[in-house]
Amino acid sequence: MFSLLAPAIPKATCRKGRPIPEFNYRLEETMAHQSTLQYTVGRIGIASLFIVSGILKAASFSDTAAWMSSSGLPFASALLVATLALEIGGGFALAAGIRTRMVAVAFAAFLVPATLLFHQFWAVSGEASAEQLNHFLKNFALLGAMLVLAATASPQQK
């Protein structure tokens, strides 16, 4: 939050109107640290959703593959292995800040077809529709988060 206010904070000056370098440096350093901390915690929070989801799919591999196959997806077991690699491996990479842009783009590319194929709230009714709409919107929000991460990854994380 502090970093959001940064543009509105004027530089500290002495009576003669000259900037006070030491104070301004500390302020900028504090804001940069705060921004980095928020970015890291946010990235780890987003990654945790993918990691847990991948682990749960792996724990019930055969049931998940059967469910994917029943949705009309060919080669469900092979695609599930790829999904697990992305969700678990990509999730840990995202949490650690390794190749953030590349991982975020991969997740974004994964989220679009997965959301449209498995969360068709418009094709069901009643409580199932509300549940699928919830999953659809969650994935849409994650897609937005992945696009933001891809756009804002620091040079060390690209």
Side-chain angles (χ1 to χ4, degrees):
M1 181 174 163
F2 188 69
S3 62
L4 295 176
L5 301 175
I9 298 173
K11 297 279 186 187
T13 57
C14 65
R15 284 188 200 180
K16 295 183 180 180
R18 290 187 295 251
I20 304 171
E22 184 178 330
F23 176 81
N24 290 327
Y25 174 75
R26 287 185 191 162
L27 178 63
E28 290 169 7
E29 186 179 77
T30 301
M31 290 185 328
H33 173 71
Q34 185 74 14
S35 178
T36 302
L37 179 64
Q38 291 167 343
Y39 183 81
T40 302
V41 170
R43 201 182 62 237
I44 291 169
I46 293 166
S48 67
L49 189 139
F50 289 110
I51 294 167
V52 171
S53 179
I55 291 170
L56 293 174
K57 285 179 181 89
S60 59
F61 187 92
S62 58
D63 290 341
T64 304
W67 174 72
M68 289 171 65
S69 191
S70 73
S71 296
L73 196 63
F75 313 110
S77 292
L79 289 172
L80 179 55
V81 169
T83 298
L84 295 176
L86 178 62
E87 287 188 337
I88 297 171
F92 279 115
L94 198 63
I98 300 168
R99 309 283 296 178
T100 302
R101 179 170 288 158
M102 181 183 76
V103 172
V105 168
F107 273 125
F110 162 78
L111 281 165
V112 172
T115 302
L116 293 174
L117 183 62
F118 295 113
H119 301 300
Q120 299 176 356
F121 64 92
W122 58 88
V124 292
S125 60
E127 194 173 309
S129 179
E131 182 180 338
Q132 290 307 315
L133 177 61
N134 187 36
H135 289 298
F136 184 94
L137 292 173
K138 172 207 39 131
N139 282 10
F140 189 67
L142 284 170
L143 174 62
M146 293 302 106
L147 295 175
V148 168
L149 284 176
T152 60
S154 69
Q156 301 90 338
Q157 298 167 335
K158 292 178 184 178

